[in-house]
Amino acid sequence: MRTHTLGEGEPALAVVVGQHGDEPCGELAMERLLAADDLQVTGAVLFVVANERAAEAGDRFVDVDLNRAYPGDPDADAHEVRLAHDLLDVVDDLPVLDLHSTVSTVEPFALYQRLTPGTRRMLERTGLDRAVDIRTEAGGMTTHVDGVAVECGLKGSAAAVDNAERVLRNVLAAYGVVDGEAAVSDPTVFEVTGRVDGTGYEFLGENFVAVPAGTPFARRGDDELVADDPFYPVLMSTDGYEDSVGFRATRRGPLSERPDDDERD
Ligand SMILES: [Zn+2]
């Protein structure tokens, strides 16, 4: 892990890049931004390059998936379990923007695991039009901070770096770190209801497009997975996960109509 502060004074937020070593878009966008000559820096931001060992190896992780390892443990044997503990320590109580890339979807979208005023503020200030509530998955960083992960686009693509830079510039302007106009959005929320387990399936659908009941959405030879009830696929792909096709979600409507967690029944 390494950190870098842009600007003077207390950081307004932390930007985490490279939790997964094979997703370079966040670090590349950060480097572009640090080299840019058009920025009027008016505040401060803490950049955290998370899993440098995995990035050097070109792998998602060294021992275990870092973004399933929170809150971590400083005395663990696994590199990422120790790193998770150190990362929470470094970002402390700052709001977090956490940049990722995927094999599932070209268009960027946001993900969150708890809905607090701080998380809502970050979701709106990504400027993105889709947000996924994925609190069903244990061990994510955003379970422990007021923060948002963004899937910026396809792993290794130039477009993912462009999207990461666009979101980053928007968030930094919105948090007063740099001068400039910032878009504020009211994203549509998709709530994950479960994971579809299985190995070697070809995903037949399209993410964020409803799968009607009775329609096959994944195939492995003669074996087809058919939806009993309609759902929205999220992070579903043929090659994304070793033991899972991805996630089923329900469309919940605009974020502005979702209550904060402490106001839920
Ligand atoms: Zn990732």
Side-chain angles (χ1 to χ4, degrees):
M1 173 177 61
R2 69 178 195 276
T3 62
H4 178 85
T5 304
L6 172 69
E8 304 281 327
E10 277 296 300
L13 75 156
V15 174
V16 175
V17 302
Q19 282 217 67
H20 295 135
D22 59 348
E23 300 173 8
C25 67
E27 187 173 350
L28 293 172
M30 176 193 80
E31 283 169 359
R32 267 197 209 166
L33 205 90
L34 294 175
D37 52 16
D38 64 330
L39 289 184
Q40 296 254 37
V41 180
T42 51
V45 54
L46 174 69
F47 286 105
V48 184
V49 182
N51 201 342
E52 292 185 282
R53 273 178 60 186
E56 276 160 30
D59 293 329
R60 184 174 176 85
F61 54 78
V62 178
D63 293 323
V64 299
D65 190 326
L66 173 58
N67 210 21
R68 300 285 185 276
Y70 292 91
D73 176 352
D75 302 316
D77 288 333
H79 165 62
E80 280 85 3
V81 179
R82 292 193 308 272
L83 183 55
H85 171 270
D86 295 348
L87 271 160
L88 288 184
D89 209 38
V90 161
V91 303
D92 197 19
D93 59 357
L94 292 174
V96 170
L97 174 69
D98 172 30
L99 298 172
H100 292 257
S101 47
T102 174
V103 298
S104 69
T105 311
V106 174
E107 285 298 315
F109 61 96
L111 302 111
Y112 65 96
Q113 296 186 291
R114 66 187 202 188
L115 192 50
T116 61
T119 298
R120 183 186 299 278
R121 187 171 152 79
M122 181 68 78
L123 283 167
E124 293 167 344
R125 282 153 184 78
T126 61
L128 298 171
D129 56 14
R130 282 185 303 224
V132 173
D133 180 338
I134 191 162
R135 69 185 70 214
T136 51
E137 283 295 287
M141 180 185 232
T142 51
T143 306
H144 298 275
V145 297
D146 285 348
V148 172
V150 172
E151 291 290 357
C152 298
L154 296 180
K155 268 187 207 185
S157 70
V161 186
D162 293 344
N163 292 336
E165 185 184 3
R166 179 164 53 83
V167 170
L168 188 50
R169 280 178 177 264
N170 196 73
V171 168
L172 293 187
Y175 280 77
V177 176
V178 301
D179 243 0
E181 293 287 305
V184 175
S185 58
D186 185 13
T188 301
V189 171
F190 294 82
E191 185 177 0
V192 168
T193 54
R195 188 170 58 196
V196 178
D197 291 325
T199 302
Y201 282 95
E202 177 193 358
F203 174 50
L204 306 173
E206 192 177 332
N207 283 288
F208 298 106
V209 175
V211 175
T215 308
F217 64 93
R219 182 186 297 133
R220 184 179 61 191
D222 295 334
D223 177 19
E224 283 184 337
L225 300 181
V226 177
D228 293 331
D229 298 304
F231 73 95
Y232 286 83
V234 170
L235 288 165
M236 281 201 176
S237 65
T238 301
D239 310 309
Y241 303 101
E242 231 164 69
D243 50 6
S244 147
V245 183
F247 302 92
R248 311 169 185 269
T250 302
R251 187 187 166 117
R252 291 290 191 205
L255 177 67
S256 57
E257 291 175 13
R258 306 292 301 153
D260 284 347
D261 289 350
D262 62 6
E263 290 164 11
R264 275 157 66 131
D265 301 329

